Amino acid sequence: MTAKTPQTALVIGAGPAGLMAAEVLSAAGVRVTVADRMPSVGRKFLMAGKSGLNLTKDEDPAACLAAYGDAAPALRDALADFGPAQVMAWAEGLGQPLFTGSTGRVFPVAMKASPLLRAWLARLASRDVRIATRWTWTGWDGAAATFDTPDGAQAVTADVTILAMGGASWRRLGSDGAWAARLQGTTPFRPANCGFRVAWSDHMAPFFGQPVKATALTAGTSTSRGEWVVTREGIEGGGIYAVSRAMRDGATLWIDLLPDLAAERIGQRAAAKGGKASLSQILKSGLRLPPVKIALFHEMTRRAGIAKTAPLAETLKALPVIHDGPAPLDAAISTAGGLQFKALSGLMLRERAGVFACGEMLDWDAPTGGYLITASLATGRAAALEALSWHP
């Protein structure tokens, strides 16, 4: 039997995954309705672009796949078909020139998401994609998806449906994870790419908001040389996010405060200050640590119960960070958990034929560096392609 292309499609969720699904479906001539619970679309996408929209990372496909760890086959297949090179070509096709930073991260020259989103929505409008805002999905009524809308309850029946409702962080931007209660086969949400809470002593207050530079972070098998920040609530920033998955799963965070100085050289510099020098003098003038690093050293040795007689070089090269767990789920950049891949056949729900899922609502972890947006686009595209080839 030859598969018949669906004539109508419903996409629930208007973030990168949902909009990419709508793009692929509409390009095939399908009449598409996109429903989103917020007053406007792409709100988290726009927020991500406020500090520079990191679309992807310019690296070979094998390195890209490796960044997702033990990703499910459906996610790996989606990324193999639509990885960094394809993301860059797609953005340039929307008239957005790109540049690649020194670490391989790729950004629009405009350094924000709004020009790309405007061009994307214009493309969808030219294909008569209908976008309905303030539509909150409430479940199913037979074959129809039901919604609370400004005009009251609505029911929409379509040949195929794409679910792209996001994770459970930044709920004020649209992703609250409430959909999980209406689907089978979900895993509780967990924070990803997140900060961690620390109950600082009073002497740390002068350093709130200060960046910590030139450190090496290790948690489990994850490492980072990225910058991070001391905040009133704890620690956060790119360096922390890079090791946050291991920290969330129980690994201790170790900080090398002098990653470019060998332990032997640290010992020599400390000894050169003479036996009468205080520890503070050694840290400040002998090792030239900035005040924020000195404060962290004193804070964490106290919290960890490290004796003042402990070898200084060893402690500076492996300072344990005692924290109180991840920051609240809603403050995380992204979330793990959600719809399990075993609840899917490819990207179609096993419990409901003709309904496909994509984006951050799937249970996968993405590191920072453009990987979240890349996989959201890739799975949105893959779900739409599966929908186009599916038939009852």
Side-chain angles (χ1 to χ4, degrees):
M1 179 184 294
T2 302
K4 181 181 178 182
T5 301
Q7 300 299 301
T8 59
L10 171 65
V11 177
I12 306 177
L19 294 179
M20 177 56 79
E23 177 171 342
V24 172
L25 291 163
S26 61
V30 179
R31 296 193 305 277
V32 181
T33 296
V34 178
D36 194 271
R37 64 185 291 264
M38 300 303 287
S40 59
V41 306
R43 290 198 165 195
K44 190 174 180 182
F45 185 62
L46 289 171
M47 178 62 78
K50 283 199 170 182
S51 57
L53 181 65
N54 184 191
L55 277 173
T56 191
K57 190 170 184 184
D58 190 1
E59 60 187 1
D60 65 70
C64 177
L65 286 173
Y68 296 88
D70 54 350
L75 177 58
R76 298 179 68 86
D77 289 346
L79 289 162
D81 288 340
F82 199 81
Q86 290 77 20
V87 171
M88 289 186 282
W90 165 79
E92 289 170 340
L94 283 168
Q96 304 303 304
L98 307 174
F99 74 93
T100 302
S102 59
T103 61
R105 297 186 179 197
V106 178
F107 302 85
V109 171
M111 284 299 288
K112 53 187 178 180
S114 51
L116 188 152
L117 183 60
R118 283 195 299 270
W120 199 0
L121 293 175
R123 175 184 286 178
L124 295 177
S126 72
R127 297 175 182 170
D128 296 325
V129 172
R130 178 197 177 205
I131 297 180
T133 56
R134 295 188 174 90
W135 278 42
T136 300
W137 181 62
T138 56
W140 311 101
D141 182 6
T146 58
F147 298 87
D148 282 336
T149 81
D151 298 318
Q154 301 285 335
V156 178
T157 302
D159 294 335
V160 293
T161 298
I162 309 288
L163 304 180
M165 290 179 282
S169 63
W170 291 79
R171 65 183 61 195
R172 66 186 178 85
L173 301 178
S175 299
D176 62 3
W179 54 264
R182 302 185 181 96
L183 295 178
Q184 298 176 12
T186 62
T187 297
F189 291 106
R190 296 167 293 157
N193 299 310
C194 59
F196 287 78
R197 295 172 289 116
V198 179
W200 300 113
S201 60
D202 292 342
H203 92 278
M204 287 298 296
F207 303 99
F208 294 162
Q210 287 200 18
V212 184
K213 303 179 181 181
T215 63
L217 310 179
T218 302
T221 59
S222 300
T223 60
S224 170
R225 287 291 299 262
E227 185 175 310
W228 49 286
V229 179
V230 173
T231 71
R232 183 179 302 277
E233 293 77 22
I235 52 178
E236 63 180 48
I240 297 296
Y241 301 154
V243 296
S244 62
R245 179 178 183 179
M247 291 176 64
R248 179 198 69 201
D249 293 344
T252 298
L253 173 63
W254 303 90
I255 302 178
D256 184 344
L257 292 172
L258 290 165
D260 300 317
L261 204 61
E264 181 180 6
R265 184 61 180 144
I266 292 173
Q268 292 171 349
R269 287 191 179 182
K273 291 299 295 180
K276 294 184 179 181
S278 68
L279 177 58
S280 293
Q281 289 173 326
I282 292 172
L283 295 174
K284 183 177 180 180
S285 57
L287 297 172
R288 298 177 182 175
L289 286 179
V292 66
K293 285 188 177 182
I294 294 174
L296 284 166
F297 175 87
H298 288 306
E299 179 79 4
M300 289 303 163
T301 52
R302 179 189 63 79
R303 290 172 66 92
I306 298 174
K308 293 184 182 299
T309 56
L312 178 61
E314 292 180 13
T315 304
L316 288 167
K317 298 295 287 183
L319 180 69
V321 174
I322 310 302
H323 59 82
D324 301 310
L329 181 67
D330 193 48
I333 290 178
S334 58
T335 53
L339 190 58
Q340 301 170 13
F341 281 93
K342 67 182 182 181
L344 306 171
S345 175
L347 290 173
M348 186 171 73
L349 273 62
R350 294 186 186 276
E351 68 168 301
R352 199 169 188 91
V355 177
F356 303 80
C358 59
E360 200 182 335
M361 67 182 292
L362 301 176
D363 184 8
W364 53 281
D365 254 306
T368 56
Y371 297 106
L372 180 64
I373 290 178
T374 295
S376 293
L377 294 170
T379 55
R381 176 180 178 273
L385 291 174
E386 282 192 37
L388 286 172
S389 63
W390 176 80
H391 62 93

